[in-house]
Amino acid sequence: MNTTQLECFMAVVNFLNFSRAAESLRLTQPAVSHQIGTLENEMGVRLFHRTSKSVRLTQEGYLFMQYAGELLKLTRTARARLQESKQTKPMRLGIGCRSTFDLALTRRPLEQLRREEPTLQPVLRVVPFDSLDHLLEDGEIQLMFAFAESAPKKAQYHELMKCPIVCACAADHPLASRIQLTAQELKSAGQVVTFHPPAYPPSLFHIQSQIIAGHMPDQLFFCDNLEVLNTLVASGFGFAVVADCPQMRVAGIRYIPMPEFEPVSFGVAYLRGEMHPILRRFMKIMEETIQCHAHA
């Protein structure tokens, strides 16, 4: 049974005339007759008494008429609701974060986008860096935070800021009073808190490797994520070499420049191809937010 059969049935019920029913539906009379015939075959009953001069409902036709009208009404209501749902479907923006520090960067842009785009539906994922590549490739997220050197090969990269290389240590650490430091000086500066690639860009990991080369295993703290690294550094267990993103700084940690090294590029990666306007707008607000913070 389909809606065309039901519409033809109800039209014939209303006019008790196949020609006029066909005209109202903008179909041919043979087409209407065919639809009624197939409906009767499916139901296993005759719905109309037909002669060359008249058409009238059978007893079964009267009984079916009660349900046919409701079925058509339900179908039209469902179609209307689906169209409304399609028109008001929320705009989805999937964002992949390496840490809660990346997540914090999204707060102001999302707040502004919420006012500009009421149907926006952000989907925020904080997962290990290795997993973000697959989420981006599969379309589960539309962009992810990354250093340029670590951005997925298949993705387009957009820089948000340059991050200087610094030594991070607690406020009461012996290094805290220094204005700047070199890698050579850090080789004998005590315990080191370390991180691993790809969340660390290769150039930064190379610097870190130089510094820890002469350290004993009991002088090294290996961390699974940035939150752990910052906690150990802030607690005074050691220093770390990091890329300094001012928006991600942690209270109680000193950030000492290491000018011998070039800053690294930090930004977002997204799939190549036509960029959705909402994605472009998010990146624009993110840039503006970072620039305001830098000049504050």
Side-chain angles (χ1 to χ4, degrees):
M1 190 185 304
N2 57 57
T3 54
T4 302
Q5 291 172 324
L6 294 175
E7 287 169 348
C8 288
F9 172 77
M10 291 304 295
V12 175
V13 167
N14 289 334
F15 292 102
L16 292 179
N17 182 292
F18 277 74
S19 296
R20 291 177 64 188
E23 184 180 347
S24 71
L25 294 170
R26 297 184 179 180
L27 296 173
T28 63
Q29 181 180 332
V32 173
S33 297
H34 174 72
Q35 293 297 327
I36 297 298
T38 57
L39 179 59
E40 289 178 326
N41 288 336
E42 290 179 22
M43 302 297 291
V45 296
R46 297 282 292 180
L47 299 172
F48 295 99
H49 289 300
R50 282 165 279 193
T51 68
S52 58
K53 295 183 178 180
S54 66
V55 175
R56 59 188 176 87
L57 282 165
T58 64
Q59 188 65 30
E60 291 80 8
Y62 276 111
L63 181 63
F64 182 67
M65 180 177 65
Q66 302 174 44
Y67 300 107
E70 289 300 317
L71 287 171
L72 273 177
K73 181 179 178 181
L74 183 61
T75 300
R76 289 164 181 161
T77 300
R79 186 181 295 124
R81 292 291 180 269
L82 290 173
Q83 287 299 318
E84 289 174 5
S85 175
K86 183 179 179 181
Q87 292 170 4
T88 60
K89 186 177 181 180
M91 287 187 285
R92 181 181 177 279
L93 177 61
I95 303 172
C97 304
R98 306 163 305 150
S99 67
T100 56
F101 297 96
D102 286 353
L103 189 63
L105 288 176
T106 69
R107 189 174 305 158
R108 184 171 176 183
L110 288 179
E111 181 182 356
Q112 187 165 333
L113 280 176
R114 177 181 58 82
R115 293 192 293 267
E116 296 178 6
E117 301 289 347
T119 62
L120 178 66
Q121 186 181 70
V123 180
L124 306 175
R125 304 290 298 273
V126 183
V127 297
F129 189 90
D130 297 347
S131 302
L132 291 178
D133 299 32
H134 303 298
L135 292 177
L136 185 67
E137 189 172 338
D138 294 342
E140 291 296 317
I141 57 176
Q142 280 67 61
L143 81 163
M144 58 179 280
F145 289 98
F147 288 102
E149 300 171 57
S150 306
K153 296 289 188 269
K154 296 180 180 180
Q156 188 76 32
Y157 175 78
H158 180 81
E159 180 178 283
L160 294 174
M161 68 180 96
K162 291 285 191 182
C163 300
I165 304 301
V166 300
C167 170
C169 65
D172 60 353
H173 192 279
L175 296 172
S177 61
R178 297 292 301 272
I179 297 175
Q180 61 182 42
L181 287 162
T182 66
Q184 186 62 39
E185 290 172 317
L186 293 181
K187 289 181 179 180
S188 57
Q191 297 181 138
V192 186
V193 183
T194 71
F195 206 27
H196 59 81
Y200 253 26
S203 59
L204 185 54
F205 186 71
H206 178 68
I207 297 169
Q208 178 180 263
S209 299
Q210 293 179 46
I211 293 169
I212 68 175
H215 286 70
M216 299 297 291
D218 60 356
Q219 291 184 303
L220 303 175
F221 292 90
F222 292 96
C223 304
D224 291 329
N225 56 57
L226 191 57
E227 288 84 353
V228 173
L229 181 143
N230 282 322
T231 298
L232 291 177
V233 169
S235 301
F237 281 91
F239 67 86
V241 177
V242 299
D244 182 24
C245 301
Q247 293 79 4
M248 301 182 193
R249 286 189 172 187
V250 175
I253 293 182
R254 282 267 292 122
Y255 296 88
I256 307 165
M258 299 182 68
E260 66 184 294
F261 301 111
E262 290 294 322
V264 293
S265 174
F266 176 77
V268 292
Y270 55 93
L271 289 181
R272 299 179 185 276
E274 185 176 353
M275 187 188 297
H276 193 283
I278 199 71
L279 182 60
R280 191 185 306 277
R281 182 64 181 139
F282 177 86
M283 289 165 52
K284 179 65 175 175
I285 299 172
M286 178 70 70
E287 287 179 332
E288 293 170 354
T289 302
I290 288 172
Q291 290 172 5
C292 287
H293 193 283
H295 294 119

